[in-house]
């Protein structure tokens, strides 16, 4: 009996499998040519399963005891969660602006490294290395951004005998230069966009190359990123102006004004492939992601797999991405980005990001992997957890980036406190990555991304439906966000059909930036009643314990001797339209509410009733025979936000 039990336990940890909570036995879900390397721990509900990976290699080296995360925000929290799951201690670093941040609270240890500006904190290599030594951290995870693609940082760590959880510096150098990387890709038989990638920067020579390539062309800074130093040129007459503009931005952003010239695809898609490599020479791809919907050349939503691709194209994309990684002896997590012509589906190498991408969760969702765990395994000297044959796609996933920004003002970043946050209900198929809590503040020093909302479904339609519902449940008050804009994108017929390209927002800007619909009179009635009920509740708090708590002035709402309680409340909605609400209290504790939108445009609701729930900040009303349940958030600046199926209303 004991021998049989020990044999089962050995097989459980030696080979990945699933514990079925309903069958109460071990099952082996075969996916393609391998076993799905995931252990589902027995939980009360399938919606709350946690994913754990157990290596199939019995001679693996031990993982680190302690790592330092040289980053902040959601990616720092993301790395800390996996570290905790694996029993690895985590060390956070933080600036003075981040002393109360979530990643500081989550880490086992946290060290202040300087003032708010990144150059004095998160980009200060000497301070970060000093903290790593003081905290006895064996390795440093750079996250993304900041020092994640800095070869000098990787080399310094190697000299200090601290492991960099990322690729070798040589790979960063090769792939960090757009011109050098193109030459490497050509040698590796990876398709590249026709263009000039040489060192001759004479303006007249570059203009001649543009004419040979054929307009329109794209001018790109060789060390660019995030759309900086990128200019589209449609005609020879504007070439010199755009070249000068590109070089000016490149020198400011990257201290290097060298550019390359490429053919500009007019209906492009941004398709990228997640690759992973270990120190034993193994390289795999974890399929592709589509990141085509962008604003200001920066991604705002991603999905995996890319819609509308045949299996043949998918396999070819993966093979070319693996070839690209092998060409630079890559190690760790990386992303090979391709630009794809949406007409003929031909694709061309664009660049390689030598780090974990912001959008990596969609890949994790459709491959049942933990890519941070993979990074830790590889950095520890272990082989990749899975072979290419064991990897397979399962379902479809979306990621929506929640930004503090104003889409109606050219997506201008916003700052301010997060006065109210209410997140969607989470499960194994609805995931939220964030580095902020209610009460935190978005400041001017760092990227304005608040969170990433990720959903998974059996197919694209189901995943999109879950995402739309989750966005409807997501509430943020205190500053402008792109949530409402994302709802419009995900509800657009072209997006639903998978007809996406990098010019999606520009192409459909009329629909995506249409004026806000008129706020429903039902919503205005709720807003008016919520203000009155909340004021009465506050009044009751003040009078509790008074000399006469049973006074009709306070115990009966709307009590006025020989008079009827009436109130006029003025509102301004999202379109700044002026709306007034006349509220009259009736003796049966109901209200008559008349909504006025100008001359000869009014509607009256009779005998409206409502209850204010202070704990949930919610009002439950009966308006015109219809029962509503809405969340109300009141700000100090006389702004009231109502969350329901309609939207929000401003009160002043």
């Amino acid at each position: 009996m004991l021998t049989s039990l020990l044999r089962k336990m050995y097989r459980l940890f030696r080979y990945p499998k699933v514990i079925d909570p309903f069958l109460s036995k071990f099952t082996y879900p075969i996916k393609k040519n391998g076993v799905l390397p995931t252990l589902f721990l027995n939980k009360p509900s399938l919606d709350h399963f946690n994913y754990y990976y157990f290596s199939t290699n019995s001679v693996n080296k031990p993982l680190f005891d302690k790592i330092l995360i040289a980053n902040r925000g959601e990616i720092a929290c993301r790395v800390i969660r996996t570290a905790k799951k694996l029993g690895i201690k985590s060390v956070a670093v933080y600036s003075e602006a981040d002393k109360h941040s979530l990643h500081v609270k989550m880490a086992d240890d946290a060290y202040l490294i300087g003032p708010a500006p990144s150059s004095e904190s998160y980009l200060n290599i000497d301070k970060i290395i000093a903290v790593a030594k003081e905290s006895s951290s064996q390795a440093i995870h750079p996250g993304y951004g900041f020092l994640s693609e800095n070869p000098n940082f990787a080399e310094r760590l190697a000299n200090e005998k601290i492991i960099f959880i990322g690729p070798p510096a040589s790979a960063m150098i090769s792939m960090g230069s757009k011109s050098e990387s193109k030459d490497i890709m050509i040698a590796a038989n990876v398709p590249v966009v026709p263009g000039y990638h040489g060192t001759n920067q004479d303006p007249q020579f570059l203009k001649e190359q543009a004419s040979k390539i054929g307009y329109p062309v794209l001018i790109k800074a060789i060390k660019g990123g995030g759309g900086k130093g990128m200019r589209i040129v449609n005609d020879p007459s504007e070439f010199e102006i755009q070249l000068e503009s590109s070089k000016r931005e490149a020198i400011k952003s990257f201290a290097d004004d060298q550019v390359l010239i490429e053919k500009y695809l007019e209906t492009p898609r941004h398709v990228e492939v997640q690759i992973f490599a270990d120190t034993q020479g193994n390289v795999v791809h974890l399929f592709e992601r589509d990141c085509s919907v962008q604003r200001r050349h920066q991604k705002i939503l991603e999905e995996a797999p890319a819609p509308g691709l045949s299996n043949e194209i998918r396999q070819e994309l993966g093979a070319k991405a693996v070839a690209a990684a092998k060409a630079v002896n890559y190690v760790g997590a990386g992303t090979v980005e391709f630009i794809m012509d949406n007409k003929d589906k031909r694709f061309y190498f664009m660049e390689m990001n030598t780090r974990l991408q912001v959008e990596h969760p969609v890949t994790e969702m459709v491959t049942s992997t933990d890519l941070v765990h993979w990074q830790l395994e590889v950095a520890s000297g272990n082989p990749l957890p899975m072979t290419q044959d064991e990897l397979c796609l399962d379902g479809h996933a979306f990621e929506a980036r929640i930004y503090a920004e104003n889409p109606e003002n050219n997506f201008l970043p916003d700052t301010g406190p997060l006065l109210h946050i209410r997140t969607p209900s989470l499960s194994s198929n609805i995931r939220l990555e964030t580095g902020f809590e209610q009460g935190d503040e978005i400041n001017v020093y760092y990227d304005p991304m608040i969170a990433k909302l990720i959903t998974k479904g059996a197919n694209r339609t189901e995943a999109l439906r879950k995402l739309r519902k989750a966005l409807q449940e997501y509430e943020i008050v205190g500053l402008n966000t792109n949530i409402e804009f994302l709802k419009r994108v995900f509800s657009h017929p072209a997006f639903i059909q998978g007809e996406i390209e990098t010019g999606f927002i520009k192409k459909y800007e009329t629909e995506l930036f249409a004026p806000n619909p008129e706020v429903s009179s039902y919503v205005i009635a709720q807003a008016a009643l919520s203000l009155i009920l909340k004021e009465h509740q506050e009044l009751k708090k003040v009078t509790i314990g008074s000399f006469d708590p049973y006074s009709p002035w306070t115990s009966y709402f709307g009590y006025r001797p020989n008079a009827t309680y009436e109130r006029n409340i003025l509102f301004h909605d999202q379109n700044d339209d002026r709306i007034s609400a006349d509220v009259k209290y009736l003796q049966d504790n109901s209200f008559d509410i008349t909504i006025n939108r100008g001359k000869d445009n009014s509607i009256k609701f009779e005998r409206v009733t409502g209850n204010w729930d202070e704990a949930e900040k919610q009002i439950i009303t009966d308006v015109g025979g219809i029962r509503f349940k809405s969340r109300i958030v009141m700000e100090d600046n006389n702004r009231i936000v109502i969350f329901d199926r309609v939207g929000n209303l401003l009160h002043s």
Side-chain angles (χ1 to χ4, degrees):
M1 179 70 178
L2 180 61
T3 302
S4 174
L5 179 61
L6 289 174
R7 186 181 298 115
K8 285 185 177 180
M9 291 181 66
Y10 169 77
R11 292 182 66 205
L12 170 63
F13 289 94
R14 179 66 177 83
Y15 300 103
K17 44 190 81 73
V18 171
I19 298 179
D20 188 324
F22 301 110
L23 299 179
S24 299
K25 67 178 182 180
F26 301 141
T27 60
Y28 297 77
I30 304 299
K31 295 267 186 140
K32 199 175 180 181
N33 298 320
V35 180
L36 182 67
T38 305
L39 175 67
F40 289 70
L41 294 188
N42 195 351
K43 297 269 185 170
S45 167
L46 284 172
D47 287 339
H48 296 87
F49 278 177
N50 291 325
Y51 293 80
Y52 292 87
Y53 167 74
F54 292 86
S55 173
T56 59
N57 191 321
S58 59
V59 293
N60 269 7
K61 298 176 182 179
L63 300 179
F64 308 109
D65 296 319
K66 181 184 286 188
I67 64 171
L68 182 148
I69 298 98
N71 217 297
R72 65 180 296 279
E74 66 88 11
I75 186 59
C77 297
R78 164 76 186 87
V79 175
I80 291 170
R81 277 196 296 272
T82 288
K84 286 183 180 294
K85 183 179 69 176
L86 298 172
I88 299 173
K89 291 184 178 180
S90 59
V91 177
V93 292
Y94 64 95
S95 70
E96 292 173 354
D98 280 340
K99 61 183 178 181
H100 300 302
S101 293
L102 183 59
H103 78 282
V104 175
K105 299 174 184 177
M106 290 179 61
D108 295 292
D109 301 305
Y111 290 76
L112 175 66
I113 55 172
S118 300
S119 59
E120 301 178 55
S121 51
Y122 296 107
L123 291 175
N124 192 313
I125 294 176
D126 291 336
K127 287 184 179 179
I128 291 173
I129 290 177
V131 170
K133 290 180 176 180
E134 183 179 348
S135 63
S136 300
S137 297
Q138 300 158 292
I140 293 181
H141 194 300
Y144 52 73
F146 293 133
L147 297 170
S148 63
E149 294 182 282
N150 188 319
N152 296 327
F153 182 51
E155 289 176 343
R156 281 284 307 276
L157 293 183
N159 294 334
E160 299 287 349
K161 309 301 181 186
I162 301 171
I163 294 175
F164 178 70
I165 304 175
S170 59
M172 287 193 228
I173 293 171
S174 295
M175 304 311 283
S177 168
K178 284 181 168 55
S179 57
E180 182 182 348
S181 65
K182 295 291 171 65
D183 293 336
I184 295 172
M185 293 304 103
I186 291 171
N189 199 30
V190 177
V192 300
V193 178
Y196 174 72
H197 310 128
T199 58
N200 190 335
Q201 295 292 297
D202 178 71
Q204 189 58 39
F205 175 80
L206 291 175
K207 187 174 182 180
E208 292 172 1
Q209 297 303 308
S211 297
K212 291 179 181 178
I213 296 166
Y215 289 90
V217 298
L218 187 65
I219 302 174
K220 298 170 67 175
I222 65 170
K223 292 185 178 179
K228 294 177 180 177
M230 186 182 296
R231 299 292 186 273
I232 300 169
V233 186
N234 294 296
D235 187 85
S237 63
E238 59 185 55
F239 184 85
E240 287 90 348
I241 296 175
Q242 296 290 11
L243 176 63
E244 182 181 350
S245 175
S246 172
K247 282 180 168 288
R248 187 167 55 249
E249 186 171 39
I251 196 73
K252 180 181 178 181
S253 301
F254 314 111
D256 190 335
D257 68 350
Q258 291 191 72
V259 299
L260 55 84
I261 312 294
E262 289 182 342
K263 178 66 178 176
Y264 177 68
L265 304 181
E266 298 187 71
T267 56
R269 286 175 63 180
H270 181 127
V271 180
E272 60 186 34
V273 179
Q274 177 72 59
I275 61 96
F276 236 102
D278 60 26
T279 54
Q280 285 80 29
N282 302 306
V283 185
V284 300
H285 69 82
L286 290 89
F287 309 100
E288 82 287 350
R289 303 182 285 255
D290 193 297
C291 313
S292 296
V293 181
Q294 305 176 6
R295 51 96 171 100
R296 300 200 310 266
H297 300 290
Q298 294 177 323
K299 307 163 189 172
I300 57 172
L301 60 92
E302 302 89 8
E303 60 181 298
L309 300 189
S310 66
N311 288 331
E312 291 75 20
I313 293 176
R314 180 164 289 121
Q315 291 171 9
E316 188 179 0
L317 273 167
K320 294 301 182 183
V322 168
K326 289 181 176 179
V328 292
N329 298 314
Y330 199 79
V331 175
T335 299
V336 182
E337 298 190 348
F338 296 96
I339 188 167
M340 176 179 285
D341 192 321
N342 207 24
K343 293 179 179 178
D344 58 16
K345 298 298 187 287
R346 295 180 65 181
F347 60 88
Y348 308 92
F349 173 83
M350 188 162 54
E351 63 181 354
M352 184 174 185
N353 289 310
T354 54
R355 54 176 167 80
L356 196 65
Q357 291 280 81
V358 176
E359 58 270 20
H360 75 273
V362 291
T363 294
E364 293 180 321
M365 296 291 268
V366 297
T367 58
S368 298
T369 54
D370 181 335
L371 297 187
V372 173
H373 187 166
W374 279 43
Q375 286 185 296
L376 295 171
E377 290 280 4
V378 169
S380 299
N382 294 322
L384 293 176
M386 298 175 73
T387 65
Q388 192 66 64
D389 286 341
E390 292 173 325
L391 286 162
C392 62
L393 284 170
D394 177 25
H396 200 99
F398 284 98
E399 175 182 280
R401 301 190 191 188
I402 311 301
Y403 279 102
E405 63 183 17
N406 186 352
E408 296 181 356
N409 190 15
N410 197 29
F411 298 96
L412 186 70
D414 201 4
T415 59
L418 294 165
L419 298 177
H420 168 82
I421 297 178
R422 190 176 182 88
T423 62
S425 300
L426 305 181
S427 69
S428 61
N429 291 324
I430 301 177
R431 172 176 166 183
L432 187 70
E433 299 286 351
T434 186
F436 295 97
E437 300 176 293
Q438 183 169 299
D440 289 347
E441 185 155 337
I442 306 296
N443 56 49
V444 299
Y445 298 104
Y446 313 115
D447 186 89
M449 187 171 72
I450 300 171
K452 302 181 306 192
L453 179 61
I454 307 102
T455 62
K456 178 189 176 183
N459 50 53
R460 190 174 188 270
T461 300
E462 181 179 305
L464 186 55
R465 183 173 65 249
K466 290 180 179 179
L467 182 58
R468 287 200 298 264
K469 183 177 184 298
L471 279 172
Q472 197 67 35
E473 297 174 359
Y474 208 153
E475 302 173 4
I476 297 178
V477 175
L479 36 62
N480 290 302
T481 75
N482 65 338
I483 291 178
E484 293 302 316
F485 177 77
L486 289 172
K487 290 178 184 178
R488 292 189 178 191
V489 171
F490 291 131
S491 299
H492 195 280
F495 188 89
I496 293 172
Q497 294 299 317
E499 299 170 2
I500 51 178
E501 58 187 66
T502 56
F504 183 90
I505 293 177
K506 180 67 176 176
K507 185 176 181 179
Y508 298 108
E509 63 180 345
T510 301
E511 298 99 309
L512 297 177
F513 293 98
N516 293 309
E518 181 180 85
V519 176
S520 166
S521 295
Y522 289 96
V523 174
I524 298 169
Q526 293 174 70
L529 188 55
S530 65
L531 286 170
I532 292 171
L533 292 178
K534 182 170 175 55
E535 287 174 3
H536 179 60
Q537 190 173 73
E538 294 297 324
L539 180 62
K540 289 183 69 175
K541 289 180 182 178
V542 172
T543 57
I544 289 177
S546 69
F547 68 93
D548 188 5
Y550 301 104
S551 168
W553 294 93
T554 57
S555 59
Y556 296 102
F557 186 83
Y559 177 79
R560 299 288 187 277
N562 304 315
T564 301
Y565 175 81
E566 295 184 2
R567 176 87 175 272
N568 177 265
I569 305 174
L570 179 64
F571 293 97
H572 292 272
D573 67 8
Q574 292 172 311
N575 298 318
D576 205 31
D577 291 333
R578 182 181 171 124
I579 309 165
S580 69
D582 294 322
V583 183
K584 180 179 180 181
Y585 174 71
L586 305 178
Q587 293 302 316
D588 61 357
N589 285 325
S590 67
F591 300 82
D592 284 348
I593 302 178
T594 303
I595 310 300
N596 302 296
R597 298 177 183 269
K599 189 177 181 181
D600 301 325
N601 187 6
S602 64
I603 181 173
K604 182 177 181 180
F605 299 106
E606 296 182 343
R607 300 195 177 281
V608 175
T609 59
N611 293 297
W612 173 257
D613 185 339
E614 178 65 22
E616 291 293 323
K617 304 297 182 184
Q618 191 176 72
I619 186 171
I620 302 172
T621 57
D622 189 310
V623 184
I626 304 175
R627 190 171 184 269
F628 294 92
K629 183 185 292 185
S630 302
R631 199 170 319 282
I632 311 291
V633 181
M634 300 177 187
E635 301 183 48
D636 293 337
N637 60 355
N638 287 332
R639 183 172 182 260
I640 179 171
V641 184
I642 295 185
F643 289 100
D644 70 348
R645 62 179 182 268
V646 179
N648 65 61
L649 174 72
L650 309 185
H651 164 247
S652 59

